[in-house]
Amino acid sequence: MTGKQTVVPLAGAANRQGRMAADNMLGRKETYHGTQGTAICKIFDLAVASTGKNEKQLKREGVEYQKVYVHTASHASHASCYQGKLQNGYLPGAVNIPVDQLRQRMNELPKDKEIIIYCQVGLRGNVAYRQLVNNGYKARNLLGGYHTYLFAKA
């Protein structure tokens, strides 16, 4: 990512370098072109992953970055949100407006207050955030959605 040398303590990269060293000793001409440094950790039902430098390293080095929260689920578990039901949980005081109804119901929301938007996993929340901001509302999107909020709260 940066082109600078760094330590990547992962078995895959070390294994590849060891095989390449052996090949080179036996006459092959191989060079190591680096690694992306992908790491994945799973704890019960929660999996976290990163590729390249992690958030802490990027902040320390003053590098701009983006992060994404991804929650896998079947389409069936998402169908209830489209219908406007809150079966999977919601934050206290929430006003439920499904994203496909937002353009028609936007007038129900106050323009003088900041609106915190969320959905179950973040995708529809981002769509709603864009719609509101583009129409002059003060809004924020809860990154990762309600699912990430529950993990952070636990």
PDB file of all heavy atoms in Angstrom, residues 32-51:
ATOM      1  N   TYR A  32      10.520 -11.634  -4.274  1.00  0.00           N
ATOM      2  CA  TYR A  32       9.314 -11.435  -3.471  1.00  0.00           C
ATOM      3  C   TYR A  32       8.774 -10.035  -3.746  1.00  0.00           C
ATOM      4  O   TYR A  32       9.487  -9.049  -3.644  1.00  0.00           O
ATOM      5  CB  TYR A  32       9.644 -11.608  -1.981  1.00  0.00           C
ATOM      6  CG  TYR A  32       8.431 -11.594  -1.099  1.00  0.00           C
ATOM      7  CD1 TYR A  32       7.521 -12.638  -1.136  1.00  0.00           C
ATOM      8  CD2 TYR A  32       8.190 -10.539  -0.235  1.00  0.00           C
ATOM      9  CE1 TYR A  32       6.401 -12.641  -0.335  1.00  0.00           C
ATOM     10  CE2 TYR A  32       7.074 -10.531   0.571  1.00  0.00           C
ATOM     11  CZ  TYR A  32       6.176 -11.585   0.519  1.00  0.00           C
ATOM     12  OH  TYR A  32       5.072 -11.571   1.319  1.00  0.00           O
ATOM     13  N   HIS A  33       7.526  -9.961  -4.123  1.00  0.00           N
ATOM     14  CA  HIS A  33       6.922  -8.681  -4.506  1.00  0.00           C
ATOM     15  C   HIS A  33       6.081  -8.054  -3.396  1.00  0.00           C
ATOM     16  O   HIS A  33       5.410  -7.057  -3.628  1.00  0.00           O
ATOM     17  CB  HIS A  33       6.054  -8.861  -5.756  1.00  0.00           C
ATOM     18  CG  HIS A  33       6.837  -9.318  -6.947  1.00  0.00           C
ATOM     19  ND1 HIS A  33       7.698  -8.500  -7.640  1.00  0.00           N
ATOM     20  CD2 HIS A  33       6.924 -10.532  -7.540  1.00  0.00           C
ATOM     21  CE1 HIS A  33       8.271  -9.176  -8.622  1.00  0.00           C
ATOM     22  NE2 HIS A  33       7.814 -10.425  -8.582  1.00  0.00           N
ATOM     23  N   GLY A  34       6.125  -8.632  -2.213  1.00  0.00           N
ATOM     24  CA  GLY A  34       5.382  -8.057  -1.097  1.00  0.00           C
ATOM     25  C   GLY A  34       4.090  -8.798  -0.811  1.00  0.00           C
ATOM     26  O   GLY A  34       3.733  -9.760  -1.478  1.00  0.00           O
ATOM     27  N   THR A  35       3.405  -8.328   0.190  1.00  0.00           N
ATOM     28  CA  THR A  35       2.155  -8.944   0.602  1.00  0.00           C
ATOM     29  C   THR A  35       1.160  -7.862   0.970  1.00  0.00           C
ATOM     30  O   THR A  35       1.542  -6.747   1.347  1.00  0.00           O
ATOM     31  CB  THR A  35       2.386  -9.892   1.803  1.00  0.00           C
ATOM     32  OG1 THR A  35       1.157 -10.547   2.096  1.00  0.00           O
ATOM     33  CG2 THR A  35       2.844  -9.143   3.044  1.00  0.00           C
ATOM     34  N   GLN A  36      -0.110  -8.183   0.860  1.00  0.00           N
ATOM     35  CA  GLN A  36      -1.153  -7.242   1.268  1.00  0.00           C
ATOM     36  C   GLN A  36      -1.356  -7.264   2.776  1.00  0.00           C
ATOM     37  O   GLN A  36      -1.880  -6.325   3.334  1.00  0.00           O
ATOM     38  CB  GLN A  36      -2.475  -7.572   0.590  1.00  0.00           C
ATOM     39  CG  GLN A  36      -2.461  -7.325  -0.896  1.00  0.00           C
ATOM     40  CD  GLN A  36      -3.799  -7.659  -1.520  1.00  0.00           C
ATOM     41  OE1 GLN A  36      -4.535  -8.517  -1.047  1.00  0.00           O
ATOM     42  NE2 GLN A  36      -4.119  -6.974  -2.587  1.00  0.00           N
ATOM     43  N   GLY A  37      -0.964  -8.334   3.411  1.00  0.00           N
ATOM     44  CA  GLY A  37      -1.131  -8.421   4.861  1.00  0.00           C
ATOM     45  C   GLY A  37      -2.572  -8.542   5.287  1.00  0.00           C
ATOM     46  O   GLY A  37      -3.057  -7.744   6.089  1.00  0.00           O
ATOM     47  N   THR A  38      -3.283  -9.519   4.769  1.00  0.00           N
ATOM     48  CA  THR A  38      -4.676  -9.732   5.151  1.00  0.00           C
ATOM     49  C   THR A  38      -4.746 -10.607   6.392  1.00  0.00           C
ATOM     50  O   THR A  38      -4.096 -11.642   6.462  1.00  0.00           O
ATOM     51  CB  THR A  38      -5.448 -10.395   3.996  1.00  0.00           C
ATOM     52  OG1 THR A  38      -5.418  -9.518   2.872  1.00  0.00           O
ATOM     53  CG2 THR A  38      -6.895 -10.677   4.383  1.00  0.00           C
ATOM     54  N   ALA A  39      -5.507 -10.173   7.376  1.00  0.00           N
ATOM     55  CA  ALA A  39      -5.674 -10.935   8.612  1.00  0.00           C
ATOM     56  C   ALA A  39      -7.166 -11.028   8.933  1.00  0.00           C
ATOM     57  O   ALA A  39      -7.899 -10.054   8.774  1.00  0.00           O
ATOM     58  CB  ALA A  39      -4.934 -10.263   9.764  1.00  0.00           C
ATOM     59  N   ILE A  40      -7.591 -12.211   9.375  1.00  0.00           N
ATOM     60  CA  ILE A  40      -8.995 -12.443   9.731  1.00  0.00           C
ATOM     61  C   ILE A  40      -9.044 -13.132  11.087  1.00  0.00           C
ATOM     62  O   ILE A  40      -8.289 -14.062  11.337  1.00  0.00           O
ATOM     63  CB  ILE A  40      -9.699 -13.318   8.679  1.00  0.00           C
ATOM     64  CG1 ILE A  40      -9.616 -12.658   7.298  1.00  0.00           C
ATOM     65  CG2 ILE A  40     -11.154 -13.569   9.058  1.00  0.00           C
ATOM     66  CD1 ILE A  40     -10.073 -13.556   6.170  1.00  0.00           C
ATOM     67  N   CYS A  41      -9.943 -12.669  11.944  1.00  0.00           N
ATOM     68  CA  CYS A  41     -10.110 -13.271  13.267  1.00  0.00           C
ATOM     69  C   CYS A  41     -11.607 -13.467  13.504  1.00  0.00           C
ATOM     70  O   CYS A  41     -12.399 -12.563  13.259  1.00  0.00           O
ATOM     71  CB  CYS A  41      -9.521 -12.349  14.336  1.00  0.00           C
ATOM     72  SG  CYS A  41      -9.729 -12.967  16.011  1.00  0.00           S
ATOM     73  N   LYS A  42     -11.980 -14.651  13.947  1.00  0.00           N
ATOM     74  CA  LYS A  42     -13.383 -14.926  14.240  1.00  0.00           C
ATOM     75  C   LYS A  42     -13.528 -15.320  15.701  1.00  0.00           C
ATOM     76  O   LYS A  42     -12.820 -16.178  16.198  1.00  0.00           O
ATOM     77  CB  LYS A  42     -13.921 -16.035  13.342  1.00  0.00           C
ATOM     78  CG  LYS A  42     -15.409 -16.259  13.548  1.00  0.00           C
ATOM     79  CD  LYS A  42     -15.999 -17.130  12.480  1.00  0.00           C
ATOM     80  CE  LYS A  42     -17.503 -17.222  12.731  1.00  0.00           C
ATOM     81  NZ  LYS A  42     -18.204 -17.885  11.680  1.00  0.00           N
ATOM     82  N   ILE A  43     -14.466 -14.664  16.372  1.00  0.00           N
ATOM     83  CA  ILE A  43     -14.778 -14.957  17.764  1.00  0.00           C
ATOM     84  C   ILE A  43     -16.274 -15.214  17.827  1.00  0.00           C
ATOM     85  O   ILE A  43     -17.072 -14.302  17.624  1.00  0.00           O
ATOM     86  CB  ILE A  43     -14.389 -13.783  18.690  1.00  0.00           C
ATOM     87  CG1 ILE A  43     -12.911 -13.460  18.531  1.00  0.00           C
ATOM     88  CG2 ILE A  43     -14.756 -14.090  20.128  1.00  0.00           C
ATOM     89  CD1 ILE A  43     -12.482 -12.171  19.185  1.00  0.00           C
ATOM     90  N   PHE A  44     -16.640 -16.451  18.037  1.00  0.00           N
ATOM     91  CA  PHE A  44     -18.036 -16.879  18.014  1.00  0.00           C
ATOM     92  C   PHE A  44     -18.673 -16.469  16.693  1.00  0.00           C
ATOM     93  O   PHE A  44     -18.215 -16.870  15.639  1.00  0.00           O
ATOM     94  CB  PHE A  44     -18.804 -16.375  19.233  1.00  0.00           C
ATOM     95  CG  PHE A  44     -18.212 -16.843  20.533  1.00  0.00           C
ATOM     96  CD1 PHE A  44     -17.582 -15.956  21.387  1.00  0.00           C
ATOM     97  CD2 PHE A  44     -18.243 -18.179  20.889  1.00  0.00           C
ATOM     98  CE1 PHE A  44     -17.023 -16.388  22.575  1.00  0.00           C
ATOM     99  CE2 PHE A  44     -17.682 -18.626  22.068  1.00  0.00           C
ATOM    100  CZ  PHE A  44     -17.072 -17.722  22.916  1.00  0.00           C
ATOM    101  N   ASP A  45     -19.694 -15.599  16.699  1.00  0.00           N
ATOM    102  CA  ASP A  45     -20.367 -15.195  15.463  1.00  0.00           C
ATOM    103  C   ASP A  45     -19.795 -13.919  14.858  1.00  0.00           C
ATOM    104  O   ASP A  45     -20.266 -13.460  13.826  1.00  0.00           O
ATOM    105  CB  ASP A  45     -21.864 -14.978  15.721  1.00  0.00           C
ATOM    106  CG  ASP A  45     -22.593 -16.279  15.994  1.00  0.00           C
ATOM    107  OD1 ASP A  45     -22.109 -17.330  15.545  1.00  0.00           O
ATOM    108  OD2 ASP A  45     -23.648 -16.237  16.648  1.00  0.00           O
ATOM    109  N   LEU A  46     -18.806 -13.321  15.477  1.00  0.00           N
ATOM    110  CA  LEU A  46     -18.240 -12.071  14.995  1.00  0.00           C
ATOM    111  C   LEU A  46     -16.901 -12.326  14.321  1.00  0.00           C
ATOM    112  O   LEU A  46     -16.008 -12.951  14.902  1.00  0.00           O
ATOM    113  CB  LEU A  46     -18.040 -11.093  16.160  1.00  0.00           C
ATOM    114  CG  LEU A  46     -17.403  -9.747  15.807  1.00  0.00           C
ATOM    115  CD1 LEU A  46     -18.311  -8.955  14.867  1.00  0.00           C
ATOM    116  CD2 LEU A  46     -17.148  -8.956  17.078  1.00  0.00           C
ATOM    117  N   ALA A  47     -16.768 -11.864  13.089  1.00  0.00           N
ATOM    118  CA  ALA A  47     -15.502 -11.976  12.367  1.00  0.00           C
ATOM    119  C   ALA A  47     -15.023 -10.569  12.041  1.00  0.00           C
ATOM    120  O   ALA A  47     -15.809  -9.704  11.655  1.00  0.00           O
ATOM    121  CB  ALA A  47     -15.678 -12.779  11.088  1.00  0.00           C
ATOM    122  N   VAL A  48     -13.736 -10.317  12.225  1.00  0.00           N
ATOM    123  CA  VAL A  48     -13.136  -9.038  11.865  1.00  0.00           C
ATOM    124  C   VAL A  48     -11.973  -9.322  10.933  1.00  0.00           C
ATOM    125  O   VAL A  48     -11.326 -10.364  11.032  1.00  0.00           O
ATOM    126  CB  VAL A  48     -12.668  -8.238  13.100  1.00  0.00           C
ATOM    127  CG1 VAL A  48     -13.843  -7.811  13.948  1.00  0.00           C
ATOM    128  CG2 VAL A  48     -11.686  -9.036  13.934  1.00  0.00           C
ATOM    129  N   ALA A  49     -11.713  -8.391  10.024  1.00  0.00           N
ATOM    130  CA  ALA A  49     -10.640  -8.595   9.057  1.00  0.00           C
ATOM    131  C   ALA A  49     -10.056  -7.257   8.655  1.00  0.00           C
ATOM    132  O   ALA A  49     -10.699  -6.216   8.784  1.00  0.00           O
ATOM    133  CB  ALA A  49     -11.181  -9.314   7.821  1.00  0.00           C
ATOM    134  N   SER A  50      -8.836  -7.308   8.191  1.00  0.00           N
ATOM    135  CA  SER A  50      -8.199  -6.113   7.630  1.00  0.00           C
ATOM    136  C   SER A  50      -7.232  -6.544   6.548  1.00  0.00           C
ATOM    137  O   SER A  50      -6.719  -7.652   6.558  1.00  0.00           O
ATOM    138  CB  SER A  50      -7.481  -5.316   8.719  1.00  0.00           C
ATOM    139  OG  SER A  50      -6.367  -6.039   9.202  1.00  0.00           O
ATOM    140  N   THR A  51      -7.010  -5.662   5.618  1.00  0.00           N
ATOM    141  CA  THR A  51      -6.011  -5.869   4.577  1.00  0.00           C
ATOM    142  C   THR A  51      -5.136  -4.632   4.545  1.00  0.00           C
ATOM    143  O   THR A  51      -5.637  -3.512   4.491  1.00  0.00           O
ATOM    144  CB  THR A  51      -6.674  -6.091   3.198  1.00  0.00           C
ATOM    145  OG1 THR A  51      -7.412  -7.310   3.258  1.00  0.00           O
ATOM    146  CG2 THR A  51      -5.642  -6.199   2.103  1.00  0.00           C
TER     147      THR A  51
END
